[in-house]
Amino acid sequence: MDPATAGAAELSRLLEPLRAEPAATGILCDVDGTLAPIADKPGAATVPERARELLRELARRYALVGCVSGRRAEEARRMVGLDELVYAGNHGFERLDPGDSEVRPDAAVQARADRARAFVEGLDQGRLAGAGLRLEDKGVIQALHWRGSADESVARRQAQEVAKLAQQVGLVARWGRKVLELRPVAGIDKGSASLALLRDRGVDHALFGGDDVTDLDAFRALRRMQDSDRLRTAVRVGVASEEAPPDLVTESDIVVDGTEGFLVVLEELAR
């Protein structure tokens, strides 16, 4: 059996319990790098129409279909373009359910919502820009990007300095694909967000697809749920790229090739 055939057979085997009981299954995934190819600037990323069609079909059949994204929940919904899905935005700091017109922030951050923004406003903006860092205001989370900067190594070193300062004042520094995020509190991430979504729907089977280090939080949450018998089946789909974290392979049940590979996963779930 050639590798492609073997990979297809393994994917089908992993997904069979989910396809067999769609009313007891939750499908969750990241957006950037999983549904949408990574773009130099976040605003340029787009979700392919085929992925959107498949997600719409899955939302009709499965108990839960949602996106757990580093983007703000409203932005993730606009980007994906489907109101039928659940969106956990800002790595779980906020949520939009189908039919919601307003984002629901996590209660744990309300008293500290402006801490990261106040910290960033106190930094030397000229120095950040000179190093090639671009600031993204995500509300409770502030992000510094350096993808496409003139010298990405210089930008990353400057981001490392910012991370040290942020940690000294009690902020949480988390790294992603060419981005540093500053968060007001610990304990909220894609893992806690996935756990809450799956618990709310009371599903027996779940899948999470992701490509970045922050997605590993969700992978680990699914594994803990399965180990504690809160899930009968947990499928963790790693989406490979040149920038994928080293632990992606070891933490995944199966690894697919980029966003096109994850599209195949969606197609298999829709069969």
Side-chain angles (χ1 to χ4, degrees), residues 8-204:
E10 176 64 4
L11 178 62
S12 182
R13 182 190 70 80
L14 289 168
L15 298 185
E16 186 53 36
L18 286 67
R19 288 192 301 240
E21 296 188 82
T25 294
I27 307 298
L28 300 173
C29 66
D30 175 39
V31 177
D32 292 273
T34 300
L35 290 177
I38 292 291
D40 284 343
K41 294 184 178 180
T46 59
V47 173
E49 183 57 34
R50 179 57 178 158
R52 188 174 292 115
E53 292 170 356
L54 288 165
L55 289 170
R56 182 181 291 112
E57 174 62 24
L58 295 179
R60 296 190 187 106
R61 293 169 49 185
Y62 287 82
L64 166 67
V65 179
C67 295
V68 184
S69 175
R71 291 178 182 265
R72 302 188 78 165
E74 289 180 320
E75 184 181 0
R77 179 190 270 179
R78 285 195 299 270
M79 183 175 172
V80 176
L82 297 173
D83 290 343
E84 304 96 313
L85 274 55
V86 178
Y87 297 89
N90 262 344
H91 303 280
F93 280 82
E94 55 187 35
R95 176 169 160 177
L96 273 172
D97 282 348
D100 283 353
S101 58
E102 294 185 3
V103 168
R104 288 180 287 148
D106 191 290
V109 301
Q110 290 182 359
R112 303 182 178 184
D114 294 327
R115 291 184 67 210
R117 181 186 287 117
F119 169 79
V120 168
E121 288 175 350
L123 297 175
D124 185 332
Q125 304 301 311
R127 186 174 183 181
L128 296 180
L133 292 173
R134 302 187 307 276
L135 175 64
E136 180 186 5
D137 182 355
K138 298 167 64 177
V140 297
I141 294 177
Q142 299 294 300
L144 293 170
H145 299 266
W146 58 91
R147 181 178 300 279
S149 64
D151 190 331
E152 292 187 348
S153 62
V154 170
R156 182 176 175 84
R157 285 196 296 273
Q158 181 62 41
Q160 289 170 334
E161 291 183 20
V162 171
K164 290 178 183 177
L165 292 172
Q167 289 167 332
Q168 289 172 7
V169 299
L171 295 174
V172 178
R174 290 295 304 268
W175 300 90
R177 292 175 64 170
K178 300 186 180 181
V179 60
L180 166 67
E181 291 189 335
L182 304 177
R183 306 181 185 184
V185 296
I188 299 174
D189 54 33
K190 290 187 178 183
S192 64
S194 299
L195 177 62
L197 291 172
L198 296 170
R199 263 195 323 216
D200 284 355
R201 298 299 174 93
V203 299
D204 294 324

Side-chain angles (χ1 to χ4, degrees), residues 218-236:
F219 284 10
R220 292 163 186 156
L222 262 64
R223 178 58 62 201
R224 289 194 299 271
M225 291 182 73
Q226 186 176 37
D227 290 345
S228 62
D229 295 326
R230 285 181 286 177
L231 283 176
R232 285 161 49 200
T233 310
V235 181
R236 303 168 300 172

